[in-house]
């Protein structure tokens, strides 16, 4: 079975055959078998931004469960020294944090091994998208949570909409800020319960002005930048829309289980073919294709096309890893004739949509790309062609 740890660059190169020009081979049937382990349940409190009350809601749920006799511990809670949130810890048992020293600096992380050894019924774990300090067992906290779930421990956690991988470039286009800490959308999709912690943009800005979220000087900067009325309104709409998708998906599952017709028959699902190379714009192409497939309730097939016998390419491997995180079927193919390869794949897989990035080209390269598009349009694959122009923004959160 696949390791719980996120693969490092060397493992990615080996997996996709990008180190020594070998194409990856599919595992033999039954090769990835293993015994089933009873999993814990995952409950996520989803919000549009920091300060909406996700941690407070998570701790409140822990207190309610403890009052009913459930064994609950706080695996990690970030109160940001907010008095009301700290008071909400109540008499909950808090697992001491692990201290990890990295480059001479000691930092605190959730102690995964201590929680596993304590083995509670429920663990409260804040900030699902957090990136762990190098030296921790997993790179990301959501991977820690997956290990807790695999051990049969129910986890209650928190997440902001901007930290979903599939929303990454869309959030950047709204706010001008690229989020470096992300969670694969499958984590939210597979959660047993998702509860939206909602608040109006006006109320959130008022809380910030009153010093309930950040210190006054920091709050003023935030109100003028990320936490503007327009940004928060757009982020809230994204959170509401994502919550609606999750609810509809759960309803579909319930209807199938009861023998009723789902809201949309799966047989009608359309296939979206996302074609990319090692160009940085590939990440935006993949996310746009993912949103298109999701809106259509379709399948996403991510195809990396490279020329034969290229040098080692870890950038392409990272793009393929992103495609996997987005839940796409991933393919890697070699072709001298890029256009012909796309046409063949689109016909073989019955793609209804082809998504391509528009590279920044000049001169004869631009002409070659135009000829490539003309040939695609004339091929009559039956697929709609979507062209994505990448936008680069260097601002960080």
């Amino acid at each position: 079975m696949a390791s719980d740890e996120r693969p490092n660059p060397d493992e990615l190169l080996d997996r996709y055959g990008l180190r020594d020009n070998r194409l990856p081979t599919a595992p033999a049937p039954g090769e990835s078998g293993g015994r089933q382990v009873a999993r814990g349940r995952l409950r996520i409190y989803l919000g549009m931004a920091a300060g909406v009350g996700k941690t407070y809601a998570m701790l409140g749920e822990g207190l309610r469960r403890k009052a009913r006799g459930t064994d609950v511990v706080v695996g990690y809670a970030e109160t940001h020294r907010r008095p009301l949130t700290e008071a909400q810890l109540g008499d909950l048992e808090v697992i001491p944090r692990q201290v990890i020293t990295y480059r001479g600096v000691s930092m605190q992380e959730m102690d995964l091994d201590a929680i596993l050894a304590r083995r509670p019924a429920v663990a409260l774990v804040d900030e699902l998208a957090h990136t762990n300090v190098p030296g921790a067992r997993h790179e990301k906290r959501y991977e820690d949570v997956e290990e807790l779930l695999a051990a049969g421990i129910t986890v209650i956690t928190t997440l902001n909409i901007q930290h979903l991988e599939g929303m990454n470039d869309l959030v950047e286009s709204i706010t001008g800020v690229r989020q470096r800490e992300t969670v694969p959308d499958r984590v939210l999709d597979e959660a047993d319960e998702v509860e939206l912690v909602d608040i109006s943009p006006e109320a959130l800005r008022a809380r910030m002005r009153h010093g309930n979220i950040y210190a006054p000087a920091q709050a003023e900067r935030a109100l003028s930048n990320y936490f503007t009325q327009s940004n928060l309104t757009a982020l809230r709409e994204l959170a509401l829309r994502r919550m609606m998708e999750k609810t509809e998906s759960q309803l579909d599952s319930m209807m199938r289980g009861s023998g009723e017709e789902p809201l949309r028959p799966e047989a009608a699902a359309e296939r979206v073919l996302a074609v990319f190379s090692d160009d940085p714009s590939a990440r935006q192409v993949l996310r746009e294709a993912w949103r298109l497939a999701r809106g259509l309730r379709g399948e996403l097939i991510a195809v990396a096309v490279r020329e034969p016998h290229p040098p080692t390419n870890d950038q392409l491997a990272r793009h393929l890893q992103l495609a996997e995180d987005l839940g796409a079927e991933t393919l890697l193919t070699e072709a001298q004739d890029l256009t012909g390869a796309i046409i063949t794949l689109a016909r073989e897989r019955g793609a209804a949509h082809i998504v391509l990035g528009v590279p920044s080209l000049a001169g004869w390269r631009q002409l070659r790309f135009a000829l490539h598009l003309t040939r695609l349009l004339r091929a009559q694959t039956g697929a709609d062609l979507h062209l994505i122009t990448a936008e680069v923004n260097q601002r960080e959160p």
Side-chain angles (χ1 to χ4, degrees):
M1 295 181 65
S3 167
D4 283 337
E5 296 191 22
R6 187 180 184 84
N8 61 38
D10 287 338
E11 291 170 337
L12 285 172
L13 292 171
D14 290 335
R15 177 190 299 178
Y16 293 110
L18 296 171
R19 182 187 299 283
D20 54 8
N21 299 324
R22 292 178 294 102
L23 288 176
T25 57
E31 198 173 83
S32 60
R35 65 183 184 86
Q36 289 279 61
V37 178
R39 287 177 63 83
R41 293 176 61 82
L42 178 61
R43 180 185 181 95
I44 298 176
Y45 283 101
L46 179 68
M48 65 177 174
V52 299
K54 302 179 303 298
T55 303
Y56 188 90
M58 176 189 76
L59 294 172
E61 179 64 19
L63 288 170
R64 284 190 291 274
R65 296 196 185 204
K66 181 179 179 181
R68 295 195 297 265
T70 304
D71 183 16
V72 180
V73 302
V74 177
Y76 190 95
E78 187 58 76
T79 65
H80 298 286
R81 297 184 179 179
R82 296 167 189 161
L84 291 176
T85 306
E86 289 187 337
Q88 190 76 332
L89 282 167
D91 59 350
L92 290 169
E93 177 184 349
V94 179
I95 301 295
R97 298 180 185 181
Q98 176 187 17
V99 178
I100 299 176
T101 301
Y102 178 66
R103 294 182 178 177
V105 179
S106 295
M107 289 171 275
Q108 295 185 347
E109 292 288 1
M110 183 178 77
D111 195 334
L112 176 60
D113 288 325
I115 301 172
L116 290 169
R118 170 64 174 74
R119 201 169 182 81
V122 176
L124 310 181
V125 180
D126 211 359
E127 299 186 350
L128 186 62
H130 172 76
T131 300
N132 292 329
V133 175
R137 179 149 75 248
H138 300 300
E139 179 187 352
K140 305 285 289 188
R141 184 166 292 160
Y142 79 81
E143 295 171 306
D144 294 334
V145 165
E146 287 178 335
E147 186 167 344
L148 293 175
L149 295 170
I153 298 171
T154 288
V155 175
I156 303 175
T157 187
T158 64
L159 178 67
N160 282 330
I161 191 66
Q162 66 263 32
H163 293 297
L164 283 172
E165 180 60 60
M167 298 288 182
N168 193 270
D169 58 334
L170 186 57
V171 169
E172 182 184 13
S173 70
I174 293 169
T175 65
V177 178
R178 175 166 290 275
Q179 301 293 334
R180 293 296 181 185
E181 295 188 315
T182 59
V183 172
D185 289 74
R186 64 168 175 80
V187 177
L188 186 70
D189 292 336
E190 295 168 4
D192 299 282
E193 300 173 77
V194 179
E195 182 171 331
L196 182 66
V197 182
D198 191 31
I199 184 174
S200 70
E202 296 84 356
L204 181 56
R205 284 171 56 83
R207 289 191 64 195
M208 189 164 289
R209 281 193 297 269
H210 296 155
N212 295 331
I213 301 173
Y214 297 141
Q218 187 181 1
E220 282 302 317
R221 289 194 300 271
L223 287 167
S224 302
N225 293 284
Y226 193 85
F227 287 80
T228 63
Q229 180 81 23
S230 59
N231 282 356
L232 292 177
T233 299
L235 290 171
R236 187 189 192 196
E237 182 178 343
L238 288 180
L240 289 167
R241 188 186 307 166
R242 196 65 172 82
M243 191 68 200
M244 182 179 66
E245 289 178 4
K246 174 66 177 176
T247 302
E248 187 175 318
S249 174
Q250 289 177 321
L251 181 57
D252 273 358
S253 297
M254 290 172 60
M255 293 174 76
R256 288 192 200 96
S258 65
E260 296 181 39
E261 278 293 312
L263 298 182
R264 302 184 198 177
E266 292 298 325
E270 297 186 67
R271 291 190 178 94
V272 177
L273 197 69
V275 184
F276 61 95
S277 64
D278 59 353
D279 191 89
S281 66
R283 303 184 77 80
Q284 186 169 343
V285 169
L286 285 167
R287 293 188 184 102
E288 293 281 1
W290 173 85
R291 284 195 289 272
L292 175 62
R294 192 174 189 89
L296 294 169
R297 286 295 187 90
E299 302 172 18
L300 176 59
I301 304 170
V303 183
V305 182
R306 63 175 184 172
E307 296 179 357
H309 312 299
T312 294
N313 193 329
D314 57 350
Q315 179 80 330
L316 190 59
R318 284 193 289 271
H319 295 338
L320 282 160
Q321 180 62 52
L322 170 62
E324 284 190 2
D325 286 346
L326 292 172
E329 176 187 351
T330 56
L331 301 174
L332 175 62
T333 185
E334 289 182 349
Q336 290 280 13
D337 180 6
L338 172 63
T339 311
I342 295 172
I343 293 169
T344 299
L345 280 168
R347 287 172 175 165
E348 287 179 349
R349 304 307 296 269
H353 303 270
I354 300 173
V355 183
L356 294 170
V358 179
S360 299
L361 301 174
W364 68 270
R365 294 178 183 270
Q366 192 173 38
L367 176 61
R368 188 172 71 171
F369 183 72
L371 293 172
H372 164 66
L373 288 181
T374 301
R375 187 177 164 199
L376 273 178
L377 291 169
R378 288 177 175 173
Q380 296 183 345
T381 60
D384 293 336
L385 189 60
H386 304 257
L387 300 180
I388 307 302
T389 303
E391 297 179 2
V392 180
N393 193 313
Q394 299 299 325
R395 289 178 61 192
E396 299 295 334

